[in-house]
Amino acid sequence: MNKFEQLGLNESLLKAILDLGFENPSEVQEKAIPLLLEKDTDMVALAQTGTGKTAAFGFPLIQKIDADNRNTQALVLSPTRELCLQITNELKNYSKYEKGINVVAVYGGASITEQARDIKRGAQIIVATPGRMQDMINRGLVNIKNIDYCILDEADEMLNMGFYEDIVSILSDTPDQKSTWLFSATMPQEVARIAKQFMSEPVEITVGAKNSGSATVSHEFYLVNARDRYEALKRLADANPDIFSVVFCRTKRDTQAVAEKLIEDGYSAAALHGDLSQAQRDGVMKSFRGRQIQMLVATDVAARGIDVDNITHVVNYQLPDEIETYNHRSGRTGRAGKLGTSIVIVTKSELRKISSIERIIKQKFEEKTIPSGIEICEIQLLHLATKIKDTEVDHEIDNYLPAINNVLEDLSKEELIKKMVSVEFNRFIAYYKKNRDISTQSGERRERSDAEPREFNNNGAVRYFVNIGSRDNFDWMSLKDYLKETLDLGRDDVFKVDVKEGFSFFNTDPEHTDKVMEVLNNVQLEGRRINVEISKNDGGGRRDHNGRSGGGRSSGGPRREGSFAPRREGSGGGFRSDRNSAPREGGFRSDRNSSAPKREGGFRSSAPREGGSDRAPRRSESFGDSPRPRRPRRD
Ligand code: AMP
C-alpha cells in the first residue's frame, strides 16, 4: 500500500496521483487528507505556499463530490486569477479518472456570461476570485445556497488585498451546515475573525511553526544607499550568473521601470503586473516557466500564486508595505524541498523592518555586502570557464576546423584561452573598471580607496563639461544616448553622466577625448552651438549629483549581450521587451520608451515624440524609492 492509499484516497485519485508523479504525501497532505475524508468538519490549516496544500484540500474534495449530482457543491475562493486558474487546473488533473466532475474557474477580466454558462452546464466545483464571485451573486448568475464545501485558499492574502467584505458577503450566501476549510500562510486578526464568525469548532493543523518561513529558504539583506538600489540589483544578478528569480517591486510603475531598465541593460527580464492584459501575462509566465526569462519583475498581486519550481532567488527590490507579505514573497523559492535564497535590498531607513520580519519568520537574516566589481568579474570568469569546459561539442564544427586552425595556428594555448575568454569578458571588465564599489554595511559606508590593490579605480577617465542640460529636456539617460550616438561611441564609453539645469558633466576614457572635443564643438542644438570643455573635476570620485533616478547613478551597466547570462536559443541578446515582456499599452509608459535610446543618426534626426518635441524628454520618475502605494486593486 503506498502512502497515499494509507490516507484513504480512492482508486481514481491514486491513478491520477501516479500520473502526477507524486510519490509521497507532503506534511500538510498527510495531516489534512485523513481528517477531511473521515468526517465533515471545518478546518484551519496554517501552511505556506508550495507545501502542497492544493492537493491537501483538492484530493478529499474530489473524493467527496457527488459526480452524479450536477448542482454546485463546492466553492474555492482564491486571491488572484492566476491562482484561481492554477487551482482549477490542478483539480481537473486530480479528477481526470473520476467521470462527470466539472470544475469551472470564475475570475475577473474574462467573459462573465461564458463563465455563467459553464456553471449552468453543471459545475460541481467553482474556483473563484472574490470580486468576480460577488459580481456573479449580485447578478443572480450563480447559486451557492446549497454548497457542502467552501475552501478559502490563501485567506491572509485575500484579506490583504481588501476582500474582507466580499468574503463575508459571499460566505453569508452559503448554508451554515457546509464544511469550511481555510488555508492561510499566516494568521492575522482579520483571518481569525473570519474563522470565528463563519466556522464551527475547526480542527487546526499547522505545517512548520506558525507564521514561520520555509526552512529551505535562507534570508539575506544588502544595505545600500537608495540611489544604488538598481545598481545593487544588477550586481546581485551578475554575481549569480544562473539566477532564476522573481524580483518584487511595490508598484506597477516601478515594476515596469525596473524590468525595462534590466532589458535595456541586456538582462533577460520581463515585467508582470496588473496593467498587462491576461494574454500578455500568460505570455510572460510561459516564457518564465520556459526559463527564457531569468528575472521576472513583479508586483505582489500579480505574482500571487506563481507556481514555478526551481526559483533560485526571490529579490525584494523594495520591501512590501505589509511585513506579512514578505512571507508570501519568499515562499516563491525553496519549494518542493529545494533550497532558495530570499534577498532584500534595503536602505538604512528601512533596516528596522528587517528585525520585524525576523520576528515574524522566526529566522535570522544574514547581512551581506554587494560584491565588488573584481569579485563579480572573478565569478563571471569562473562561470565562463566552466561553461566552456561543459559545453558539448557538435561535431559539425569539425568541418570548419581546418579554416579556424589556419587563423589561430600562431597562438599558444595560453594566448588562445586568454583571447577566447576576453571575447566575452572585456565588456564586463570595462564596465566594472569604471564603476565604484557600492557596498555599505549596517549604516557605515564601506569606502574602498582607489589605492586598495584589488579594486578597480577610476583614474584616467576624462570628465567634460557641456553646456546643455535639463533645461534642454535632457536627463542623464537621454543625454547619454545622445552623446553616444552623436559621437558614435559604444554603450559603456560614455559614463557618469550628470545633468544639471543649464549644463552637464560626463566622462569618457582618454582615447575618445579628441573625438569628443572635435565632434561636439561642431554640433548645434536648435541653433545654439554646443560647447564642450574638459572639466577640472577629474571625474574619478563624483558620486552624488542631484539626479533623481536610482538607476541613473549606474550609467547603464555592462550590457550582457554576448555575455554570460544563459539566453534564449537563437536570441541575440537579453529578453527584449518588444517580443516577450511587458507590453505597455494601457499601462505605465516609461519615458524611456518615448525618449530616444535608439535614435538613429545625429542630433536632429530623431523621430518626433509625444509632446511635439524632437528632443529626448526628461525621465520624470525615479524608481529607486517610490511613495507608499495604496492597497492593491482588486481583480
Ligand atoms: P501547492 O502548495 O499546492 O501550490 O503545491 C506546490 C507544488 O508542489 C505544486 O507544483 C504541486 O504540483 C507539487 N506537489 C504537491 N503535492 C506534492 C507531492 N505530494 N509530491 C510532490 N509534489 C507535490
Side-chain angles (χ1 to χ4, degrees):
M1 218 188 325
N2 84 13
K3 285 220 171 157
F4 283 105
E5 250 175 300
Q6 287 169 9
L7 299 180
L9 295 171
N10 65 22
E11 270 309 308
S12 60
L13 272 162
L14 292 174
K15 226 166 131 195
I17 291 168
L18 206 64
D19 288 356
L20 286 164
F22 296 178
E23 283 170 9
N24 290 304
S26 69
E27 188 184 348
V28 68
Q29 291 161 6
E30 235 166 10
K31 287 183 172 169
I33 293 171
L35 271 171
L36 297 177
L37 285 178
E38 191 184 296
K39 54 179 180 175
D40 286 330
T41 176
D42 286 352
M43 190 180 78
V44 171
L46 284 172
Q48 302 284 321
T49 52
T51 51
K53 61 192 171 50
T54 314
F57 68 76
F59 292 163
L61 183 66
I62 298 291
Q63 190 153 322
K64 288 186 146 200
I65 288 292
D66 178 0
D68 298 328
N69 175 353
R70 313 276 282 180
N71 292 330
T72 303
Q73 298 165 45
L75 171 67
V76 182
L77 287 177
S78 82
T80 64
R81 55 187 155 188
E82 273 75 21
L83 193 55
C84 171
L85 284 166
Q86 209 174 285
I87 294 170
T88 307
N89 244 347
E90 297 252 327
L91 294 181
K92 283 181 178 170
N93 283 335
Y94 305 161
S95 61
K96 70 187 210 197
Y97 297 112
E98 195 76 59
K99 275 213 174 78
I101 290 193
N102 295 313
V103 189
V104 168
V106 162
Y107 51 93
S111 161
I112 197 166
T113 41
E114 262 176 45
Q115 290 172 351
R117 206 178 307 140
D118 288 345
I119 291 170
K120 264 221 166 89
R121 283 199 198 111
Q124 294 96 344
I125 304 173
I126 296 174
V127 186
T129 53
R132 174 53 66 96
M133 191 62 201
Q134 184 60 59
D135 212 7
M136 291 199 110
I137 294 171
N138 292 345
R139 297 197 206 184
L141 296 173
V142 65
N143 177 7
I144 51 170
K145 290 198 182 327
N146 298 309
I147 59 171
D148 300 311
Y149 307 99
C150 181
I151 291 116
L152 303 173
D153 192 24
E154 311 234 348
D156 51 352
E157 192 55 25
M158 284 197 282
L159 297 172
N160 249 347
M161 290 168 65
F163 283 128
Y164 180 81
E165 279 156 27
D166 286 324
I167 290 172
V168 166
S169 166
I170 293 166
L171 289 177
S172 307
D173 215 42
T174 59
D176 287 345
Q177 65 274 18
K178 71 181 180 305
S179 299
T180 305
W181 307 339
L182 183 151
F183 286 79
S184 194
T186 58
M187 188 43 86
Q189 279 190 352
E190 272 183 321
V191 177
R193 192 141 48 107
I194 293 263
K196 196 162 170 227
Q197 195 177 344
F198 290 98
M199 298 171 82
S200 112
E201 296 175 17
V203 286
E204 193 177 315
I205 61 171
T206 304
V207 179
K210 262 188 203 179
N211 288 354
S212 79
S214 160
T216 50
V217 180
S218 56
H219 303 262
E220 300 174 348
F221 76 85
Y222 292 82
L223 184 65
V224 298
N225 291 312
R227 64 169 185 261
D228 290 328
R229 213 184 272 275
Y230 176 73
E231 178 66 20
L233 175 64
K234 277 197 320 182
R235 287 191 181 209
L236 290 170
D238 290 341
N240 293 282
D242 290 326
I243 193 168
F244 180 51
S245 61
V246 184
V247 178
F248 284 97
C249 296
R250 275 205 299 257
T251 65
K252 290 183 238 178
R253 191 185 174 90
D254 291 348
T255 301
Q256 182 70 30
V258 170
E260 283 183 15
K261 187 88 178 65
L262 285 170
I263 293 162
E264 176 73 11
D265 286 340
Y267 295 82
S268 57
L272 187 76
H273 56 69
D275 280 348
L276 307 184
S277 70
Q278 188 59 41
Q280 289 167 334
R281 285 208 238 175
D282 290 347
V284 169
M285 281 312 298
K286 191 163 171 237
S287 304
F288 187 54
R289 276 182 223 288
R291 287 180 161 252
Q292 289 139 5
I293 296 171
Q294 269 188 284
M295 300 169 85
L296 180 70
V297 190
T299 57
D300 288 297
V301 179
R304 276 321 271 136
I306 287 181
D307 174 27
V308 177
D309 290 337
N310 302 326
I311 289 174
T312 60
H313 293 77
V314 162
V315 182
N316 293 265
Y317 183 77
Q318 295 152 332
L319 275 172
D321 282 331
E322 312 276 344
I323 299 282
E324 275 80 13
T325 305
Y326 178 83
N327 239 347
H328 288 292
R329 288 183 174 186
S330 57
R332 302 289 123 213
T333 185
R335 291 164 75 86
K338 304 253 166 54
L339 296 179
T341 307
S342 177
I343 287 175
V344 181
I345 301 175
V346 73
T347 60
K348 205 171 167 186
S349 63
E350 299 167 317
L351 260 184
R352 66 194 154 70
K353 282 194 176 181
I354 294 289
S355 329
S356 312
I357 294 172
E358 283 179 335
R359 277 195 295 279
I360 287 180
I361 62 173
K362 296 194 167 58
Q363 269 176 275
K364 281 272 170 221
F365 274 83
E366 187 182 348
E367 178 176 2
K368 293 205 146 179
T369 48
I370 299 288
S372 67
I374 194 93
E375 284 161 348
I376 290 172
C377 287
E378 278 173 7
I379 292 169
Q380 289 281 358
L381 258 177
L382 214 67
H383 184 253
L384 178 59
T386 312
K387 207 169 131 187
I388 291 174
K389 188 167 172 235
D390 294 346
T391 295
E392 298 231 349
V393 174
D394 182 332
H395 287 287
E396 266 297 293
I397 213 158
D398 294 349
N399 299 328
Y400 305 96
L401 275 186
I404 295 169
N405 278 338
N406 223 4
V407 177
L408 300 176
E409 67 187 354
D410 291 341
L411 297 176
S412 69
K413 180 183 169 191
E414 193 176 323
E415 281 170 327
L416 190 61
I417 291 173
K418 274 191 202 166
K419 281 180 186 279
M420 266 182 67
V421 172
S422 299
V423 168
E424 290 254 341
F425 202 58
N426 278 354
R427 295 185 73 85
F428 234 89
I429 286 189
Y431 173 76
Y432 278 114
K433 258 185 193 166
K434 286 173 197 160
N435 283 277
R436 66 190 163 79
D437 185 9
I438 60 166
S439 65
T440 302
Q441 265 182 323
S442 285
E444 285 165 35
R445 194 166 176 90
R446 197 176 57 120
E447 299 274 3
R448 277 184 191 242
S449 87
D450 280 348
E452 208 170 321
R454 282 173 61 76
E455 185 56 77
F456 295 125
N457 64 52
N458 277 310
N459 290 349
V462 178
R463 189 143 184 91
Y464 307 86
F465 160 93
V466 63
N467 65 335
I468 50 178
S470 59
R471 205 165 46 204
D472 305 290
N473 273 348
F474 282 106
D475 64 1
W476 70 271
M477 209 185 298
S478 54
L479 182 61
K480 180 177 164 141
D481 287 335
Y482 165 64
L483 292 169
K484 239 171 43 194
E485 284 163 20
T486 308
L487 296 164
D488 194 23
L489 289 176
R491 163 151 204 99
D492 301 324
D493 292 336
V494 177
F495 48 99
K496 291 197 176 356
V497 179
D498 185 3
V499 175
K500 308 289 185 198
E501 194 182 349
F503 57 90
S504 306
F505 295 97
F506 64 94
N507 285 16
T508 73
D509 285 335
E511 74 228 48
H512 303 305
T513 301
D514 288 349
K515 192 178 197 181
V516 171
M517 301 304 284
E518 205 177 300
V519 175
L520 273 192
N521 278 321
N522 286 301
V523 173
Q524 293 209 345
L525 169 61
E526 293 184 344
R528 182 158 64 90
R529 274 182 76 97
I530 289 187
N531 172 246
V532 63
E533 291 168 23
I534 293 178
S535 167
K536 298 214 171 40
N537 180 337
D538 70 357
R542 291 185 64 85
R543 59 178 57 185
D544 59 342
H545 38 108
N546 302 321
R548 298 158 302 279
S549 167
R553 312 287 170 159
S554 67
S555 15
R559 278 189 72 88
R560 309 233 300 188
E561 242 141 15
S563 184
F564 316 97
R567 178 149 299 128
R568 293 165 63 80
E569 227 111 271
S571 97
F575 191 87
R576 306 297 306 189
S577 55
D578 47 348
R579 293 196 52 187
N580 304 299
S581 81
R584 295 163 191 119
E585 71 264 32
F588 164 61
R589 287 185 55 90
S590 155
D591 287 345
R592 175 169 275 276
N593 300 330
S594 53
S595 81
K598 295 180 185 70
R599 288 198 291 181
E600 268 156 35
F603 186 58
R604 307 282 302 171
S605 66
S606 61
R609 270 167 246 105
E610 277 161 85
S613 161
D614 66 348
R615 268 178 284 116
R618 263 173 91 147
R619 188 177 166 83
S620 58
E621 270 293 325
S622 137
F623 51 79
D625 279 316
S626 58
R628 281 169 72 89
R630 277 170 298 158
R631 290 201 139 195
R633 262 183 344 132
R634 306 183 324 175
D635 63 326

